[in-house]
Amino acid sequence: MIPTAAPAVIHSKSSISRRAAISLLALLGAVGPYAAALPAAAPTPAPPARAAALPRIEIGPNILVSRDGDVPHVEAHISANPKRTKSLLGGVITAIRPDGGWACRTYASNDGGMTWRASEFAEQVEYGGGDPYTAFTPQGTAIFTALDFAKDEKGRPRGFLRAWRSQDGGFKWSDAMELGYSYDHEQIIVDQSHGKYSGRIYIGVLYGYPVYKVGVFRSEDDGRSWVGPVEAANGGGTIGINDVTPVVLSDGTLFVPYGDFQFMPEKRQSKGRGFHSTFWTVASTDGGVTFGAPQRVVAQQTNFDDKETFISGFGKFAADADSTKYRDRIYFVWEDSRLGSYRIHFTYSKDRGKTWSALRAIDDGIPKTSQQFQPAIAVNKDGVVGVTWFDTRNSKDNKHFEEYFAASVDGGDTFLPPVLVSSAPSDPGGRGNSQIAPLMFKGEPDSISMSFLSAASRWGSGGDYMGLAADREGAFHPLWTDARSGTFQLYTSAIRVVVPADRTAAKGGGEDEEEAAAKKPSGGDAAAAPARVETRIDDKVEFIFDPTRFEPTTKQVEIPMRLKNTSGKPIYPPIRLEILGYGFPKYESEDDKKRNAENAPSALNADNGKPKEGAVYDFKGALGTAEALEPGAVTNPVVMRFQLVDPTKAPGVRWKATGMTGGQ
């Protein structure tokens, strides 16, 4: 959802000088020709292939998407291109306007989410905006929609709905198309079926206050023009309604969900856990031209008397339009307080929304006081259901949260145990999110008011929705607002749910490892798998840095470093960086060497405990659940902590990088 007006934000400035910043870049940039030679190592046999009889979840490294400043990023959405596997598009609200105000921008990737490029839009920069949403059509055209705060023909501020198209995956965009004003909370779905309305784009919107209507725009020409909105539901002026994520089934049937709520003053007072909001769906079988009668889904219970919990407030729907066994099942997740603390609840329909399964919490086996919120849901091509949410189970004060993922491989009947996705906890009340953005606006007729808005106060849960998409190969890509630095930034990860083709293979359904080994050729070394050997990988990896932290009072710096495999073959752990020395002795005078020795940074958290030469950082834990750093893949960041003597005189650090190569 958008803020009530376009506030400004105060940018936090780094305390480190430009000269010190250059020194810190040099600190980790001297890897390569200045490193010492690595002694030869004995070959290490490749480990046996891991048997996988049961489904498992593989979490890729956390990737920082937003590299555009220490300003909050909130309300994320992501889409996957059906034409190109590695093409992804995200949208977000962030403080990018010249005056520090809020506006939307997109982030595009063409390498599966390893690297991203940001785009901004003239209307957003000029007016400010919110409610970013992304989509791809079957032709691979990217669609981006958002609201912006322009003035209408009478000079009144309005929320204008605009749409943009991109034919290269979101790197270059068309001019904006204006769809009108006084709309809110737009949600997009594209018909990816092979039916009569394949390729039709739908945008659900809220409009008509104080009557509260849900309407649907549609485009039949790949987003070049739009018709609508066609009314799909009406609150009648006595009850509020708001649209929720629409879905399309395999035959092109469009379902538009919405939730109701009390907005009349005498009825909207909450009564603790007795407050309810009911979710409904309306369906269209003629491509969004007409809609049928509402069908009830489930009631959400929300404790608005709980002032300490971050909640996003919107349920999320998804549908299986591709798989054979679970085709046309509709799934729904939402946050609910009926169990006391908030839990992510789930239900599904296998008869096209006529009836719904008994609701249940996806994961209630956590401390009673822990909170779960901000769910997102997607279904991949194989019918696997993926769900993400924020979770405070590992937080001592219940105020820090982490991203979790769970999956169902049986159409929603059961879920695999949830797994932790984020590699560090978020602090939503951190320094960057707590920066006050004063906003002046016209209040009473004879006065001007000033608000004290911040990301922490307006978007304590990171926004009103998070993103989750499944690509054409079945991998899930969450996009979440992560405050591990104290400022909401965008992060993503590639998540794969591995479902064995024959789950009985490891239990009497096939050969065991000894039987399979006995059948292998016995031709000696010529037939054996090549051994893995430890080798220098200086020229096989690229070094990527996440934002650093420098504390001027202690002169300590934290440098999060990632490794990217730029070679064409996997690199296996152990993958290590070792300090060889400081500066460039071959080119330095004796005075230079002495000065560098006096100002050499000391490693504070090396894995082997050494502070200077010989200090080792191991990247094994930075691979997520992967067994190797595959070509083009990026590790999680390893945070290196250094004590500086004088930040303006810190010499560069010489490293050697090693890893295991060869084998299978």
Side-chain angles (χ1 to χ4, degrees):
M1 294 288 286
I2 59 176
T4 55
V9 65
I10 299 174
H11 292 257
S12 61
K13 301 293 185 181
S14 172
S15 300
I16 192 167
S17 68
R18 183 175 183 273
R19 182 177 176 185
I22 295 174
S23 296
L24 292 176
L25 288 175
L27 183 68
L28 295 179
V31 178
Y34 308 105
L38 178 73
T44 301
R50 179 175 61 181
L54 297 175
R56 68 183 189 276
I57 297 171
E58 295 182 350
I59 306 295
N62 291 186
I63 302 299
L64 174 61
V65 174
S66 53
R67 292 179 175 272
D68 46 12
D70 186 28
V71 292
H73 298 66
V74 296
E75 208 146 289
H77 192 261
I78 189 171
S79 300
N81 193 333
K83 295 286 284 186
R84 294 174 52 216
T85 301
K86 295 184 179 297
S87 173
L88 302 168
L89 177 66
V92 73
I93 308 172
T94 189
I96 60 168
R97 299 183 65 207
D99 65 355
W102 300 89
C104 298
R105 66 176 10 178
T106 59
Y107 299 82
S109 174
N110 59 12
D111 59 5
M114 294 295 105
T115 59
W116 298 78
R117 184 186 301 173
S119 294
E120 62 183 23
F121 303 86
E123 295 81 5
Q124 289 287 311
V125 173
E126 182 177 359
Y127 304 120
D131 284 7
Y133 226 80
T134 61
F136 280 101
T137 73
Q139 290 74 34
T141 301
I143 304 294
F144 175 61
T145 62
L147 305 181
D148 60 53
F149 307 107
K151 293 183 179 181
D152 64 14
E153 62 279 359
K154 296 183 179 180
R156 297 169 297 183
R158 301 283 190 177
F160 280 76
L161 175 59
R162 302 186 196 272
W164 294 263
R165 297 175 73 250
S166 171
Q167 295 184 298
D168 65 357
F171 292 91
K172 296 180 181 179
W173 292 93
S174 68
D175 293 336
M177 290 167 280
E178 183 188 309
L179 276 65
Y181 56 76
S182 294
Y183 298 112
D184 194 10
H185 199 228
E186 91 282 4
Q187 312 268 290
I188 311 175
I189 189 67
V190 180
D191 188 337
Q192 304 284 359
S193 73
H194 300 288
K196 182 178 180 181
Y197 305 110
S198 177
R200 189 165 291 192
I201 311 169
Y202 304 102
I203 303 177
V205 293
L206 172 65
Y207 69 110
Y209 178 83
V211 174
Y212 283 101
K213 300 177 183 179
V214 168
V216 176
F217 286 91
R218 68 180 186 274
S219 174
E220 303 172 22
D221 56 4
D222 204 45
R224 293 179 176 86
S225 63
W226 298 85
V227 176
V230 174
E231 183 179 307
N234 191 313
T238 60
I239 194 167
I241 60 175
N242 202 344
D243 60 312
V244 189
T245 44
V247 298
V248 173
L249 302 188
S250 62
D251 63 353
T253 298
L254 169 67
F255 279 84
V256 178
Y258 64 92
D260 63 22
F261 59 92
Q262 296 290 347
F263 79 99
M264 303 295 284
E266 67 274 13
K267 294 183 178 181
R268 67 186 181 189
Q269 297 298 320
S270 68
K271 295 181 179 179
R273 296 170 186 162
F275 181 86
H276 287 78
S277 175
T278 302
F279 288 93
W280 307 78
T281 64
V282 289
S284 173
T285 58
D286 58 7
V289 177
T290 62
F291 289 86
Q295 292 183 307
R296 185 181 184 277
V297 180
V298 70
Q300 176 189 32
Q301 191 159 295
T302 305
N303 182 7
F304 281 170
D305 289 340
D306 179 0
K307 305 301 183 184
E308 298 298 321
T309 302
F310 302 121
I311 60 170
S312 64
F314 293 103
K316 314 295 190 301
F317 285 79
D320 183 345
D322 295 316
S323 77
T324 300
K325 189 172 183 180
Y326 306 113
R327 182 172 297 168
D328 291 336
R329 285 198 181 187
I330 306 174
Y331 304 100
F332 179 45
V333 291
W334 72 101
E335 51 197 18
D336 198 290
S337 65
R338 71 188 64 209
L339 297 178
S341 297
Y342 282 93
R343 296 290 180 267
I344 303 304
H345 279 60
F346 173 84
T347 185
Y348 72 88
S349 173
K350 56 184 178 181
D351 56 8
R352 304 169 70 88
K354 295 181 178 66
T355 61
W356 294 81
S357 66
L359 64 89
R360 68 179 189 275
I362 288 181
D363 174 34
D364 192 32
I366 62 175
K368 290 184 178 180
T369 57
S370 297
Q371 308 285 355
Q372 298 173 336
F373 53 101
Q374 202 63 274
I377 185 170
V379 185
N380 74 6
K381 64 181 181 62
D382 301 313
V384 177
V385 183
V387 180
T388 57
W389 67 89
F390 289 160
D391 199 305
T392 68
R393 71 180 70 188
N394 298 319
S395 172
K396 294 181 179 180
D397 59 6
N398 219 29
K399 296 183 182 298
H400 296 71
F401 58 77
E402 296 164 302
E403 175 93 334
Y404 271 77
F405 176 88
S408 173
V409 300
D410 56 10
D413 290 331
T414 63
F415 277 84
L416 301 176
V419 294
L420 177 64
V421 177
S422 49
S423 56
S426 281
D427 178 12
R431 181 182 298 179
N433 290 339
S434 299
Q435 291 284 357
I436 300 298
L439 171 67
M440 303 298 294
F441 60 95
K442 186 72 173 178
E444 297 297 327
D446 59 347
S447 67
I448 297 175
S449 298
M450 184 178 75
S451 71
F452 294 86
L453 185 139
S454 69
S457 64
R458 171 56 183 88
W459 295 284
S461 61
D464 292 335
Y465 48 83
M466 295 296 118
L468 180 65
D471 67 29
R472 60 181 295 182
E473 291 186 349
F476 292 93
H477 299 271
L479 186 66
W480 74 94
T481 53
D482 187 298
R484 65 185 66 188
S485 68
T487 304
F488 281 126
Q489 299 286 350
L490 285 183
Y491 276 78
T492 189
S493 176
I495 302 175
R496 290 173 174 81
V497 181
V498 181
V499 183
D502 182 4
R503 298 191 198 177
T504 65
K507 260 196 172 180
E511 300 175 338
D512 62 23
E513 290 183 9
E514 292 183 358
E515 290 174 333
K519 294 183 179 180
K520 287 184 178 180
S522 56
D525 292 341
R532 295 178 190 161
V533 294
E534 187 174 16
T535 184
R536 290 291 289 271
I537 58 171
D538 300 358
D539 59 348
K540 295 179 174 61
V541 293
E542 176 185 347
F543 303 89
I544 299 173
F545 300 101
D546 284 4
T548 63
R549 300 184 198 178
F550 177 69
E551 178 51 59
T553 57
T554 62
K555 298 179 183 178
Q556 292 183 1
V557 62
E558 292 185 357
I559 302 179
M561 180 199 283
R562 303 172 184 267
L563 300 182
K564 180 179 181 179
N565 184 352
T566 56
S567 73
K569 296 181 179 180
I571 301 173
Y572 299 90
I575 301 172
R576 301 188 180 106
L577 284 183
E578 180 181 341
I579 294 180
L580 298 177
Y582 302 89
F584 307 102
K586 183 178 179 180
Y587 306 99
E588 295 171 349
S589 67
E590 291 303 316
D591 287 342
D592 291 334
K593 293 177 183 178
K594 180 180 179 181
R595 186 164 46 252
N596 287 342
E598 292 172 348
N599 290 282
S602 299
L604 298 177
N605 63 334
D607 289 293
N608 61 354
K610 293 185 177 181
K612 299 287 180 81
E613 288 86 347
V616 172
Y617 287 92
D618 195 324
F619 279 74
K620 180 179 180 180
L623 296 180
T625 58
E627 295 181 352
L629 184 60
E630 298 293 339
V634 178
T635 68
N636 272 321
V638 169
V639 180
M640 303 175 176
R641 295 178 55 239
F642 289 90
Q643 177 67 59
L644 305 184
V645 179
D646 183 341
T648 67
K649 298 178 181 178
V653 179
R654 302 196 318 278
W655 300 87
K656 68 178 179 184
T658 62
M660 304 293 289
T661 59
Q664 294 180 339

